Amino acid sequence: MPVASTWSRERLREALRLYLVTDQPSLKGRTLTDVVQAAVKGGVTCVQLREKHANSRDFYAQAVALMDLLAPLNIPLIINDRLDIALACGAQGVHLGQSDLPVLAARKLLPPGVFIGWSVETPEDVALSATLQLDYLGVSPVFATPTKTDTATPWGLDGLRRVRALTPLPLVAIGGIQLANATQVLQAGADSLAVVSAICSADDPCAAAQQLRKLIDAH
Amino acid sequence: MPVASTWSRERLREALRLYLVTDQPSLKGRTLTDVVQAAVKGGVTCVQLREKHANSRDFYAQAVALMDLLAPLNIPLIINDRLDIALACGAQGVHLGQSDLPVLAARKLLPPGVFIGWSVETPEDVALSATLQLDYLGVSPVFATPTKTDTATPWGLDGLRRVRALTPLPLVAIGGIQLANATQVLQAGADSLAVVSAICSADDPCAAAQQLRKLIDAH
């Protein structure tokens, strides 16, 4: 197995349990930091900043603002795609998709303390993941989702079980996860529930996070 | 003066003389590497890869392809905006605009051998540049230009002369530069002519570069 970050799988599994992915259009006019603050209060254990349309300066400013909020709470910030933003703000993790920098190139640029997650969309991606220096896999999407329209065919619960059987890496399930299906997703082998709209668009992001966290803790 | 890269101003001035900025939509169906190869044959002395719409994987692939082409010729590759791409491909320079990462954050992430250029759009930017760890300034735009529509008010030749009087940094003039106005731009104090469409859209990019280079060498 190639060398990943210095994060142990135990520590990472613990840190990833309830994984918030940010989405500006879902915020319903509230600020990103307000929603993240509420979500964290409700029990979110890590936050991925995803900014597909912001320019670099705004992305960086958001990243710094979230670091200021999360670092004192020991909640890891994960940056989607942009290693330069991750390095500049001192984020603990990076999430890479299939159209982002290759993992091999990314690993060379990051300090050993920064973990890398990678989205797997097909069984071939899962097979390839065994040869890469990865810390966790994002199983994407588990269910169809309106917040990300460029996604591959959903894995479904059966697909998630198949991925679980193929890898020892922590699995972050993402795509269409809500209170109603969360327990099934955990039972299918996910170590972590990643949510976007279930928290970002909730009228009460704190309460939404609390309810999801309760299910995770009970599992 | 804050510490910039290890590039001396003399060496950088020499390297920047004829500065090609890439623009995919201007290539008229030709590949980027074909146009850059022809431009370099015609006398381009450095190349900036600017990719405002490509995803990270494609941007990285283009950067690696250009590095393979340019490194054996000792022609610096400069990456626009994306420090992670620059670091991953081993580019010699980075160009930052007003909506990119702050210079201070960028300088911390780059090895000392990588130079930083910064676009100045107003007299205030020029004043600020004296406090930053910069290697050159891009005077942007000198003239109005169709290839970049988000630009500020053009400096004009008088504006370029004012910038020249305010800074000892090498000046890269960009925006609407063509054979017909190139000599005036050099006379107004530019150390370097940066062109996009004058080469990328030329029927013969090699000949277009040769003609511009001839004017620069004669200056």
Side-chain angles (χ1 to χ4, degrees):
Chain A
M1 176 73 65
V3 176
S5 78
T6 51
W7 283 67
S8 74
R9 289 203 186 134
E10 294 318 299
R11 187 177 161 220
L12 197 57
R13 255 186 212 104
E14 190 66 18
L16 299 178
R17 280 176 300 158
L18 182 52
Y19 184 128
L20 175 66
V21 180
T22 69
D23 182 54
Q24 289 283 357
S26 302
L27 299 177
K28 295 181 166 177
R30 298 165 294 190
T31 69
L32 182 65
T33 44
D34 280 354
V35 170
V36 169
Q37 192 148 36
V40 161
K41 200 174 161 197
V44 156
T45 60
C46 67
V47 177
Q48 179 192 128
L49 177 60
R50 183 162 72 188
E51 284 286 350
K52 284 300 181 191
H53 303 292
N55 66 40
S56 298
R57 178 152 301 198
D58 293 343
F59 195 161
Y60 174 68
Q62 293 282 16
V64 169
L66 290 189
M67 276 300 286
D68 287 347
L69 174 63
L70 300 173
L73 306 168
N74 274 320
I75 292 181
L77 178 66
I78 301 159
I79 301 293
N80 185 290
D81 180 13
R82 293 288 301 267
L83 264 73
D84 47 359
I85 305 287
L87 289 165
C89 78
Q92 287 81 2
V94 161
H95 187 85
L96 299 174
Q98 294 295 327
S99 58
D100 298 337
L101 266 187
V103 174
L104 205 68
R107 188 65 270 170
K108 283 184 198 159
L109 298 186
L110 295 173
V114 179
F115 60 82
I116 300 181
W118 195 55
S119 294
V120 290
E121 297 177 350
T122 65
E124 291 72 30
D125 294 342
V126 181
L128 186 58
S129 74
T131 68
L132 299 172
Q133 299 140 309
L134 291 164
D135 293 280
Y136 75 81
L137 298 183
V139 182
S140 168
V142 175
F143 305 115
T145 162
T147 36
K148 205 156 176 274
T149 50
D150 60 340
T151 48
T153 314
W155 285 96
L157 293 170
D158 282 343
L160 178 56
R161 279 185 208 100
R162 283 200 301 277
V163 179
R164 177 70 294 162
L166 291 169
T167 179
L169 291 173
L171 294 184
V172 176
I174 185 162
I177 292 169
Q178 300 162 353
L179 209 53
N181 57 30
T183 301
Q184 290 176 294
V185 173
L186 293 167
Q187 285 169 347
D191 299 290
S192 157
L193 301 181
V195 295
V196 188
S197 54
I199 291 180
C200 285
S201 296
D203 289 333
D204 185 341
C206 176
Q210 272 174 331
Q211 291 174 305
L212 283 163
R213 178 64 187 273
K214 210 166 153 184
L215 282 185
I216 292 168
D217 290 349
H219 176 67
Chain B
M1 174 74 64
V3 176
S5 77
T6 51
W7 284 66
S8 73
R9 290 205 185 131
E10 294 317 300
R11 188 177 159 219
L12 197 57
R13 255 187 212 105
E14 189 66 16
L16 299 177
R17 279 176 300 157
L18 180 52
Y19 184 129
L20 174 66
V21 180
T22 69
D23 182 53
Q24 289 284 357
S26 303
L27 299 177
K28 296 182 168 176
R30 299 165 293 191
T31 69
L32 183 65
T33 44
D34 279 355
V35 170
V36 169
Q37 193 148 36
V40 161
K41 199 174 161 198
V44 156
T45 60
C46 67
V47 177
Q48 179 192 128
L49 178 60
R50 183 163 73 188
E51 284 286 351
K52 284 299 180 192
H53 304 292
N55 67 39
S56 297
R57 179 152 300 199
D58 293 342
F59 196 161
Y60 173 68
Q62 292 281 17
V64 169
L66 289 189
M67 275 301 284
D68 288 348
L69 174 64
L70 300 173
L73 305 169
N74 274 319
I75 292 182
L77 178 66
I78 300 158
I79 301 292
N80 185 291
D81 182 11
R82 292 289 299 268
L83 264 73
D84 46 359
I85 305 287
L87 289 166
C89 78
Q92 286 82 1
V94 161
H95 187 86
L96 299 174
Q98 295 294 328
S99 59
D100 299 336
L101 268 187
V103 174
L104 206 67
R107 188 65 268 169
K108 284 184 197 159
L109 298 186
L110 294 172
V114 178
F115 59 82
I116 300 181
W118 195 54
S119 294
V120 290
E121 298 177 350
T122 64
E124 291 72 29
D125 295 340
V126 181
L128 186 57
S129 73
T131 69
L132 299 172
Q133 299 142 308
L134 292 165
D135 294 280
Y136 75 82
L137 298 183
V139 181
S140 168
V142 175
F143 305 115
T145 163
T147 37
K148 205 157 177 275
T149 50
D150 62 339
T151 47
T153 313
W155 285 97
L157 293 170
D158 281 343
L160 177 56
R161 278 184 210 103
R162 282 200 300 277
V163 180
R164 177 71 293 164
L166 290 170
T167 178
L169 290 173
L171 294 184
V172 175
I174 186 164
I177 292 169
Q178 299 162 354
L179 209 54
N181 57 33
T183 300
Q184 289 177 294
V185 173
L186 292 167
Q187 284 169 348
D191 298 290
S192 157
L193 301 181
V195 295
V196 188
S197 54
I199 290 179
C200 285
S201 295
D203 289 332
D204 185 341
C206 176
Q210 273 174 330
Q211 291 174 305
L212 284 162
R213 178 66 186 271
K214 209 166 152 185
L215 281 185
I216 292 168
D217 289 349
H219 176 67

